[in-house]
Amino acid sequence: MRDSSFDLRVIRTKDAIRNALVELIEEKGFEAITVKDITNKAKINRGTFYAHYQDKFDLMTKCQEEIMQEMYNIAKKNFPGVIAALGTNSPNLAPFSLVVSLFEYLNENSGFMKAVLGPKGGLSFQARLKDFMWETMFGNNPIPGIKEENLLVPGKYLASYVASAHIGVIQQWLDSGRKESPQEIARILSAITVNGPFFAAGLKK
């Protein structure tokens, strides 16, 4: 039987390492960070760090993968509600449960998201998010409901547009201090996504 206290120690250690990474990205940027910086900030020894990660790049990759896996789980769980809402005849400006759930998750992980999407976090996560969006929509295990043969534009451009637009809104929300609640920012993004930017700008009725 696995020792639950050991599991808790591992969780606390990984949380400390991740929090240290976030703080250091904000302080000096990811490229300048060393493993020694991380262990000093997390108050752990190097052996403890290497018991979980190969280096700072492995740490960043695993943190990103954890975030994207959870986002995929949220999307897969809530996407049927999106399809149902799109089937209504009248424009629906209420935030989809999918978008609300995503922003609630992003709100809980705002420190990490702001750090890695900011100017000191590098561009790797943005690129991976775009790849993640493509895989989620058209990859080997896509979310049910999206069929490439039904697209009105090439899928690669659609995925790129959706990913860039969503990342931009997320960055703006994080950089402005998350003044809107997850529900309100979800409503804003839903309105833009479903009806288009011209509708949101009041140019199209």
Side-chain angles (χ1 to χ4, degrees), residues 18-65:
R18 177 167 156 171
N19 291 337
L21 175 66
V22 169
E23 290 182 29
L24 287 165
I25 289 175
E26 296 285 8
E27 289 175 11
K28 59 197 303 185
F30 179 73
E31 293 302 322
I33 295 173
T34 65
V35 170
K36 183 178 180 181
D37 292 331
I38 297 171
T39 56
N40 287 344
K41 179 75 73 172
K43 295 181 172 57
I44 60 172
N45 59 51
R46 292 171 68 89
T48 300
F49 177 89
Y50 287 118
H52 301 289
Y53 307 103
Q54 297 176 13
D55 50 34
K56 70 173 186 177
F57 300 101
D58 183 46
L59 166 61
M60 176 66 92
T61 296
K62 286 180 177 174
C63 287
Q64 292 176 355
E65 288 175 347

Side-chain angles (χ1 to χ4, degrees), residues 22-137:
V22 169
E23 290 182 29
L24 287 165
I25 289 175
E26 296 285 8
E27 289 175 11
K28 59 197 303 185
F30 179 73
E31 293 302 322
I33 295 173
T34 65
V35 170
K36 183 178 180 181
D37 292 331
I38 297 171
T39 56
N40 287 344
K41 179 75 73 172
K43 295 181 172 57
I44 60 172
N45 59 51
R46 292 171 68 89
T48 300
F49 177 89
Y50 287 118
H52 301 289
Y53 307 103
Q54 297 176 13
D55 50 34
K56 70 173 186 177
F57 300 101
D58 183 46
L59 166 61
M60 176 66 92
T61 296
K62 286 180 177 174
C63 287
Q64 292 176 355
E65 288 175 347
E66 179 184 327
I67 291 285
M68 288 188 289
Q69 182 60 52
E70 187 58 33
M71 290 173 67
Y72 175 80
N73 292 341
I74 292 170
K76 189 172 184 179
K77 177 181 178 181
N78 290 277
F79 202 76
V82 175
I83 299 298
L86 290 174
T88 60
N89 293 324
S90 58
N92 185 2
L93 297 184
F96 293 131
S97 60
L98 164 60
V99 187
V100 174
S101 296
L102 281 174
F103 273 103
E104 287 175 343
Y105 178 72
L106 294 174
N107 191 49
E108 293 171 1
N109 295 273
S110 58
F112 178 79
M113 294 300 298
K114 183 179 180 182
V116 297
L117 289 175
K120 295 182 180 181
L123 297 176
S124 64
F125 193 43
Q126 293 189 36
R128 293 194 69 181
L129 276 178
K130 289 184 178 181
D131 291 340
F132 163 77
M133 185 69 72
W134 168 263
E135 285 296 323
T136 300
M137 296 173 73

Side-chain angles (χ1 to χ4, degrees), residues 6 30 45 51 75 79 82 91 143-144 149 157 160 196 198 203:
F6 174 78
F30 179 73
N45 59 51
F79 202 76
V82 175
I143 291 177
E149 61 267 23
Y157 292 112
S160 180
F198 291 128
L203 299 176

Side-chain angles (χ1 to χ4, degrees), residues 103-114 169-185:
F103 273 103
E104 287 175 343
Y105 178 72
L106 294 174
N107 191 49
E108 293 171 1
N109 295 273
S110 58
F112 178 79
M113 294 300 298
K114 183 179 180 182
V169 171
I170 291 169
Q171 285 178 312
Q172 179 63 37
W173 181 61
L174 293 171
D175 290 342
S176 61
R178 294 174 290 137
K179 295 178 181 177
E180 296 85 2
S181 67
Q183 291 75 20
E184 176 60 16
I185 192 64

